[in-house]
């Protein structure tokens, strides 16, 4: 017989799956904006650029992560191997000496920035088209409340 899962467990697995899907979609949308992402990809850092990684390294990490597949089980181990074997970073000891966990942490930060940027663009384009997003603003509870003009 199947064990009965508590509601929280069911909800959390659904939201993890949804989150993963949203992440994948944000990455796909970001990549689709460039003809040559390896050379052109721009990340909107805002105020948290980070002192250690440069834009070239970040661009490489995101492109490789996307290429390898963000859902893959050992993707960060593979990413580490890609970094070590890349001629781009032959003399980049900082990046070459990162562990899989450090690369994962950096990628998570970058993916969050990309998700935020893609959500803003989606919202802007929705407003332009006068679609569903127009006249509504998120209130943090997952639902939107319409704003009425007086």
């Amino acid at each position: 017989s199947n064990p009965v899962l508590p509601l929280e467990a069911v909800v959390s697995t659904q939201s993890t799956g949804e989150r993963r899907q949203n992440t994948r979609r944000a990455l796909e949308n970001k990549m689709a904006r460039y003809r040559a992402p390896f050379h052109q990809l721009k990340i909107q850092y805002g105020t948290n650029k980070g002192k250690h990684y440069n834009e070239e390294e970040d661009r490489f990490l995101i492109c490789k992560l996307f290429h390898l597949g963000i859902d893959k089980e050992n993707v960060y181990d593979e990413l580490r191997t890609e970094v070590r074997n890349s001629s781009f970073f032959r003399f980049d000891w900082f990046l070459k000496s990162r562990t899989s966990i450090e690369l994962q942490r950096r990628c998570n930060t970058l993916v969050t920035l990309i998700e935020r940027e893609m959500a803003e663009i989606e919202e802007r384009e929705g407003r332009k088209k006068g679609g569903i997003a127009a006249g509504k603003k998120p209130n943090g509870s997952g639902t939107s409340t319409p704003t009425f003009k007086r």
Side-chain angles (χ1 to χ4, degrees):
S1 72
N2 290 341
V4 177
L5 291 172
L7 183 61
E8 296 82 30
V10 174
V11 170
S12 75
T13 55
Q14 282 175 337
S15 60
T16 301
E18 281 176 44
R19 169 125 174 75
R20 200 171 284 140
Q21 197 173 2
N22 291 343
T23 298
R24 197 179 318 107
R25 190 170 348 108
L27 264 181
E28 285 169 3
N29 291 345
K30 179 70 172 173
M31 291 299 184
R33 299 179 88 78
Y34 301 96
R35 263 203 4 250
F38 261 105
H39 303 288
Q40 301 170 323
L41 185 86
K42 288 258 184 284
I43 295 167
Q44 305 296 321
Y45 291 102
T47 53
N48 54 357
K49 167 89 174 70
K51 292 172 248 341
H52 301 294
Y53 295 86
N54 65 38
E55 250 182 286
E56 255 173 29
E57 293 164 341
D58 286 345
R59 191 180 305 130
F60 180 88
L61 291 175
I62 286 298
C63 289
K64 278 296 179 188
L65 180 66
F66 180 72
H67 180 74
L68 293 169
I70 196 165
D71 294 336
K72 216 170 183 185
E73 197 176 323
N74 299 323
V75 72
Y76 295 102
D77 295 328
E78 286 184 37
L79 185 60
R80 184 168 175 249
T81 304
E82 292 280 345
V83 165
R84 290 183 157 197
N85 294 339
S86 170
S87 59
F88 289 120
F89 305 110
R90 198 176 348 190
F91 305 112
D92 187 338
W93 182 246
F94 173 76
L95 193 62
K96 285 180 88 148
S97 64
R98 296 305 93 197
T99 66
S100 304
I101 285 150
E102 288 170 315
L103 292 176
Q104 180 176 5
R105 212 173 289 140
R106 182 58 181 173
C107 286
N108 288 343
T109 301
L110 296 173
V111 164
T112 302
L113 292 171
I114 288 170
E115 284 177 312
R116 197 172 299 146
E117 178 193 353
M118 292 295 102
E120 285 171 16
I121 287 170
E122 232 173 75
E123 197 176 303
R124 246 182 289 145
E125 287 174 357
R127 249 189 256 132
K128 266 187 223 161
K129 287 178 192 160
I132 295 170
K136 292 188 174 188
K137 69 175 189 207
N139 61 8
S141 65
T143 60
S144 298
T145 51
T147 50
F148 300 102
K149 292 191 170 92
R150 292 178 188 257

